[in-house]
Amino acid sequence: MKVTYHGHSVVTVDTGNHQLIFDPFITGNSLTDLKPEEVKADVILLTHGHNDHVGDTIEIAKRNHSLVVAPNELAVYLGWKGLNVHPMHIGGSHQFDFGQVKLTQAFHGSAYTEEDSQKIVYTGMPAGILLTVEGRTIFHAGDTGLFSDMKLIGELNHIDLAFLPIGDNFTMGPEDAKLAAEWLRAKQVVPVHYSTFPVIEQNPHAFADSLPGGVGKVLEVGESIEFK
Ligand code: NI
Ligand code: MN
């Protein structure tokens, strides 16, 4: 299994049999190495409805006939756009053919902004996503502030790899993300959601270096972690 970072909160997981993508914000993502028209994904996993996470979901899903897994209200909204969706909600897990997904809480907002009509469509609650594939558990925290139930998430799950936002302003900053890393007890922690925009500029290496030895790992855009 190969897990690759593509800037902002975009993460792909290639299991050999399945290609998954988290929060495929590509158009307008100043950091990414992806092109929306080239993305191959049979599964799209969405943490919440903000435009910098839903991103190019509609185009990618229509072209690939992807299954879109998302919190219920966001899934319903995208279903109305003609996508094949699987709605879930916080605390719920489901065994798919590609692996298991469980949604956790996240403290944030969730709404899709239709810029042209200046309309905000609320899409329920934001979530974090626990994905277990081939015996490995990946936690994509989505956008969130720090919350102490991360300790519980860490107790109940053996997280091999966690993607945590460090950008501050909209999410945890590096200091809170350091506590999150400790509470989640993840074997490896990769910072995300930073330096895409000036207001979330951060030094990811300073964050990674602040974690206990070997835990923090900065992935450059396009760089992967492989699990055998
Ligand atoms: Ni957000
Ligand atoms: Mn965001």
Side-chain angles (χ1 to χ4, degrees), residues 15 18 20 94-101 131-134:
T15 71
H18 294 280
L20 291 71
H94 186 77
Q95 186 68 48
F96 294 88
D97 59 351
F98 57 85
Q100 193 189 46
V101 174
L131 169 70
T132 304
V133 175
E134 295 169 2

Side-chain angles (χ1 to χ4, degrees), residues 8 48 52-53 143 193:
H8 205 58
H48 65 293
D52 63 318
H53 295 258
D143 281 358
H193 209 274

